[in-house]
Structure formats: structure tokens, C-alpha cells
Amino acid sequence: MNRERSQETFTLFVDNIPEHNDQTWLKRTFNKFGDVKDAFIPRKRSKRTGNKFGFVRYHCYTATTMAISRMNGVWVENERLFVKEASFGLTEEKNRAKQVRIPSLAKNGFNQEANPIKRRGKELGLGNSELELHGRFAGINRSFAQALKGESSRTGADQMTKLSFKPSGNGGLHRSAVAVMERVVSMKTLSVSFSLQTDRVAQFRSLGGRAVLITFQNQEVRDELLLSQWMKIWFSSVKPWRGEPASLERFAWLSCRGVLLNVWNATTFKGIAEMWGSFIMVEESTLKEFSFADGKVLIATEESVPIQKWIQVEVQGVN
């Protein structure tokens, strides 16, 4: 927010890119955090790691900072990415890259350890027994998938962290079931419908998104009702709780602007919604065409970052 508004682009420096990954991979990966204006991998190698490095350019500074926080230190295959804000703009880096020859790795005395855990162990001076513990619990094991989902398995760059807790409370879990709603309704609606259709008692609680935790009187009642017709009407799936965590899914309204008027319909908005998750519904005012300023569609998604993207829409049969 403190940056000059006149600065239109922001450039990231990405070091230690795996050998077979190219500019398409780089752009697709960092597009997760915002629209990438450009991505570039020069022919020369990093003096620090001996591997490929590249640059990613955003229009949005928020996307830049988010990409750094999520991707710096993430393991991709056998390489750990280093991501920071570039010292120069992308155009300057391209021009500089053309003037530099590819350095010889042997000449620079570079010896890249293929195993990331062993390599990190050498850096920290760990023995084999210590190495196994560090590799299992240290923050360096945050995966590529975890980074894209916004997850983190570390509290510091080189800290070994292992958390262990004893289960307490929530004793009703052993007589509970996890269900996924067929159509989205409130927990109160489910509770009322259940009480009208059965003489049993059950508690309905949201697990996030379309997931619901249903707690019954006992396991016998649970197992009996899981096969009932009522469950099939309201849920696409239902099964006994077996240690599942709260759902990563959330509901989000997409505001779609600039939609072509001759494809302004439920099918179009459904297709847009399914790019990021499961389609739930189109807002009533959008369907009734009270305004064409923006169309609103509700989705269930596991995306943990704001969804902002330009989409090119083609109208079939129109030249």
C-alpha cells in the first residue's frame, strides 16, 4: 500500500527451478496467486544453486507478496524454490540475460545433492539419525500442493516442529456421520425436516462448505439411519465419521463483469463457476436480468485465495 501508484508492474525472482520445468510451468504455477503478466526463464544458470531461475511479473502488488509468502521455500520435486521480489524489472533482466553466457557448473565447484533431505542435512551438519527426524518434521518438507492451497507445515525457516495433542471433548464423534449436501440448505432446515420425517433425534453442524457433521443418539441409530431414504434425498454421500477433519471447502460468490449479453444465462455462469469449484446457484437478480452490471454465482471451492481472473469468452456461431 505504501508503493507509488504509478508503478504498474512488480517482478518476482524465482531461483532453483527444476531442470525440466519451463516458462509455461512458471506462469501456470504463479497464476494461482494473481494474473501473471509475463514469465521468463533465461538461458544462464543461477550462481547460487547452479539450477534454472526465472522471473514472474504481476500488475498487483498484493499478488506479489502472496506469491512470496506461499512459494518461498517450497519443495518442487527435488528442488527447493527461493522466491523474492526482484531487484530489477523483468525487461531489464531479459536484456542482461542476453549478455551473459551459461556458466560451467564444474568450474564453479557446484555439487548439487539430489536428495533434498540429505542436502539440507549437510547444510545443518546433521547426522543420519538426526537427519531422518529433521526430514520428517522440519518446515522444509512443505509440499508444492500445500503451498498452492495456502497451507504451511512450518513455524520458522529451520525449526523442527512436531505438535501432539490428546483428544478431549467431542465425545459424540464416535456416533456421528459426515455427509455432503445434495443442495445447499441451512442446518435448521435439515433439523426440522429430520424431526418431521423420523421419531429420532440428531444434531446437524456445518463442517465447512457442503459438508455436515450429523451426531445421533448412539451408533446403532446412526448405522440404521445412514441407509434411510431421507438421507438419500438430502445428501450426495453420507458415511460414519472416521477421523475426518473440518472441510477445506468454502462458499464464495463470484461477481462476473463484462459478460456478453447474448450468452447471459445460467449455463454460462455455471461454466464459469466450475473453473474454481462446484456450481451451487446463480443469484436470482442475475437470472431475472434486473441489471447487466455484473452476474453473481455461488460456488463451493477449496481455493484459499481471492479469485480474480480475466476469461476470454467465445460465442459459438458468431463471427
Side-chain angles (χ1 to χ4, degrees):
M1 296 298 292
N2 295 328
R3 292 192 164 248
E4 296 181 2
R5 293 183 180 273
S6 59
Q7 186 170 354
E8 297 181 353
T9 60
F10 305 90
T11 305
L12 287 181
F13 171 72
V14 184
D15 196 7
N16 215 25
I17 298 173
E19 182 62 32
H20 71 276
N21 291 337
D22 56 14
Q23 293 177 180
T24 301
W25 172 87
L26 186 64
K27 183 173 183 179
R28 184 176 66 250
T29 298
F30 282 84
N31 226 24
K32 187 79 174 181
F33 310 105
D35 288 331
V36 173
K37 177 179 175 61
D38 195 6
F40 171 63
I41 297 179
R43 292 182 59 194
K44 66 178 182 178
R45 299 295 180 124
S46 168
K47 292 181 179 180
R48 182 176 183 275
T49 64
N51 283 343
K52 290 181 178 180
F53 65 91
F55 301 92
V56 176
R57 184 165 58 173
Y58 290 107
H59 279 302
C60 174
Y61 187 62
T62 301
T64 306
T65 56
M66 185 179 297
I68 294 173
S69 65
R70 297 283 173 81
M71 294 301 294
N72 184 42
V74 170
W75 284 103
V76 178
E77 298 174 11
N78 284 334
E79 306 299 343
R80 187 185 186 190
L81 296 183
F82 298 93
V83 184
K84 66 177 184 178
E85 193 169 354
S87 302
F88 302 92
L90 185 54
T91 302
E92 296 173 82
E93 294 289 356
K94 285 184 177 181
N95 293 334
R96 293 173 63 201
K98 293 177 181 179
Q99 303 171 5
V100 181
R101 294 181 179 178
I102 301 176
S104 168
L105 301 185
K107 183 178 180 180
N108 291 337
F110 184 82
N111 183 15
Q112 178 78 356
E113 170 63 57
N115 187 310
I117 304 302
K118 290 183 179 180
R119 182 168 67 238
R120 188 56 176 161
K122 289 181 179 179
E123 294 174 6
L124 300 177
L126 299 177
N128 290 335
S129 58
E130 297 172 299
L131 187 61
E132 182 181 357
L133 180 65
H134 186 82
R136 188 176 302 168
F137 299 123
I140 63 172
N141 279 333
R142 183 173 55 153
S143 71
F144 182 57
Q146 284 176 316
L148 293 186
K149 285 188 176 182
E151 301 172 4
S152 175
S153 62
R154 62 182 184 178
T155 57
D158 293 314
Q159 288 182 322
M160 300 182 192
T161 304
K162 179 182 179 181
L163 299 178
S164 179
F165 302 100
K166 292 182 178 180
S168 62
N170 297 318
L173 290 174
H174 70 281
R175 48 187 169 88
S176 298
V178 175
V180 178
M181 289 186 284
E182 183 72 39
R183 57 186 185 278
V184 178
V185 296
S186 68
M187 298 300 103
K188 183 177 180 179
T189 298
L190 290 174
S191 181
V192 170
S193 174
F194 183 82
S195 62
L196 290 175
Q197 295 295 321
T198 72
D199 58 353
R200 307 288 190 171
V201 177
Q203 182 182 18
F204 296 85
R205 289 172 287 180
S206 173
L207 278 175
R210 294 167 297 173
V212 178
L213 182 71
I214 312 173
T215 303
F216 299 89
Q217 296 161 286
N218 51 58
Q219 290 185 15
E220 290 73 20
V221 172
R222 179 198 65 187
D223 296 341
E224 173 190 338
L225 291 177
L226 288 188
L227 302 176
S228 68
Q229 187 61 32
W230 186 89
M231 291 289 177
K232 296 178 182 178
I233 293 174
W234 288 101
F235 303 109
S236 59
S237 69
V238 57
K239 59 183 180 180
W241 181 82
R242 292 289 186 267
E244 292 87 349
S247 175
L248 292 175
E249 189 178 74
R250 66 184 177 94
F251 292 121
W253 282 98
L254 296 183
S255 182
C256 309
R257 299 181 179 179
V259 179
L260 299 172
L261 299 187
N262 51 349
V263 291
W264 185 283
N265 54 54
T267 302
T268 297
F269 291 112
K270 182 175 184 294
I272 294 173
E274 289 175 345
M275 294 181 63
W276 290 280
S278 299
F279 168 79
I280 302 300
M281 63 176 290
V282 180
E283 188 184 47
E284 184 178 4
S285 61
T286 298
L287 289 178
K288 291 185 176 180
E289 302 179 356
F290 291 152
S291 170
F292 293 107
D294 60 355
K296 292 184 172 59
V297 56
L298 181 65
I299 67 170
T301 180
E302 292 189 3
E303 295 283 341
S304 60
V305 296
I307 298 172
Q308 296 181 354
K309 190 175 182 64
W310 286 100
I311 302 172
Q312 182 177 353
V313 177
E314 295 181 354
V315 181
Q316 299 177 4
V318 177
N319 295 326

